[in-house]
C-alpha cells in the first residue's frame, strides 16, 4: 500500500517503508538569518533590511547567504560586506546557479561555503586602473 506524504507542495510516495530517493535533512537552526542574493546586485538599498538583522544578531545566530547572482555593483555589495566585516556570527554561503564577479567577495567573510555541483563561478583578475593588471603590478 502506498502512503502519500505532502511536503512543500509535492507528494512523496513511500512503499513498504522505503522512500524512493536518497537525501538528507540539515539541522534546522531557529535563529538563522537568511539573506537571499538573487540576480544582479544593483543598489545598497537592496540590503538595508538584512544589514539591520545582522547588526542586531544574537551571538548564537547564524548568517546564511543564499547566492545565485552574476554580480553587479561593487558599491552596492560593499554595504553588505561592511556589515559582514563587523559581524562576529558564524557566516555560511550557499551558492547555486551563478556565483560571479562582485558577489564572490562575500567568500572572504564566510566560515563555510557550500557550492552546488552545477554552479558557475567567475572571479575577476585584479585591475589597478593606471597600474595595470594584477600580474603587471606584481612584476613591477
Amino acid at each position: 500500500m502506498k502512503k502519500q506524504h505532502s511536503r512543500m507542495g509535492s507528494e512523496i510516495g513511500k512503499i513498504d517503508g522505503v522512500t524512493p530517493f536518497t537525501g538528507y535533512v540539515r539541522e534546522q537552526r531557529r535563529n538563522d538569518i537568511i539573506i537571499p542574493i538573487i540576480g544582479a546586485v544593483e543598489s545598497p538599498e537592496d540590503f538595508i533590511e538584512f544589514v539591520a538583522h545582522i547588526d542586531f544578531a544574537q551571538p548564537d545566530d547564524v548568517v546564511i547567504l543564499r547566492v545565485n547572482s552574476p554580480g553587479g555593483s561593487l558599491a552596492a555589495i560593499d554595504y553588505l560586506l561592511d556589515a559582514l566585516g563587523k559581524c562576529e556570527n558564524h557566516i555560511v554561503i550557499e551558492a547555486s546557479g551563478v556565483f560571479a564577479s562582485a558577489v564572490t567577495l562575500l567568500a572572504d567573510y564566510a566560515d563555510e561555503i557550500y557550492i552546488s555541483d552545477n554552479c558557475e563561478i567567475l572571479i575577476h583578475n585584479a585591475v589597478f586602473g593606471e597600474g595595470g593588471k594584477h600580474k603587471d603590478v606584481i612584476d613591477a
Side-chain angles (χ1 to χ4, degrees), residues 41 69-75 77-78 81 100-107 122 124:
V41 176
S69 172
S73 166
L74 185 56
I77 200 74
D78 187 56
L81 294 173
S101 196
V103 296
T104 61
L105 296 173
L106 297 168
L122 170 97
H124 293 287

Side-chain angles (χ1 to χ4, degrees), residues 15-138:
I15 302 171
D16 297 327
V18 177
T19 306
F21 63 89
T22 303
Y24 69 95
V25 177
R26 198 169 81 190
E27 177 184 340
Q28 180 66 38
R29 299 177 187 99
R30 297 183 73 188
N31 298 322
D32 288 352
I33 298 169
I34 298 174
I35 302 174
I37 302 173
I38 309 298
V41 176
E42 297 176 1
S43 169
E45 294 169 352
D46 297 339
F47 302 111
I48 290 173
E49 181 181 342
F50 299 124
V51 168
H53 286 295
I54 291 169
D55 288 343
F56 293 107
Q58 298 299 310
D60 292 338
D61 293 349
V62 176
V63 176
I64 300 174
L65 305 166
R66 292 196 175 143
V67 184
N68 186 344
S69 172
S73 166
L74 185 56
I77 200 74
D78 187 56
Y79 181 64
L80 180 58
L81 294 173
D82 185 55
L84 293 173
K86 297 172 189 171
C87 178
E88 295 181 4
N89 298 73
H90 190 77
I91 299 172
V92 177
I93 292 177
E94 296 176 351
S96 64
V98 179
F99 185 60
S101 196
V103 296
T104 61
L105 296 173
L106 297 168
D108 284 343
Y109 299 91
D111 298 298
E112 295 178 62
I113 301 174
Y114 297 97
I115 298 176
S116 71
D117 291 340
N118 297 312
C119 185
E120 292 181 44
I121 301 172
L122 170 97
I123 301 172
H124 293 287
N125 191 16
V127 176
F128 299 95
E130 302 271 333
K133 295 181 209 136
H134 183 255
K135 182 171 181 352
D136 298 337
V137 173
I138 289 175

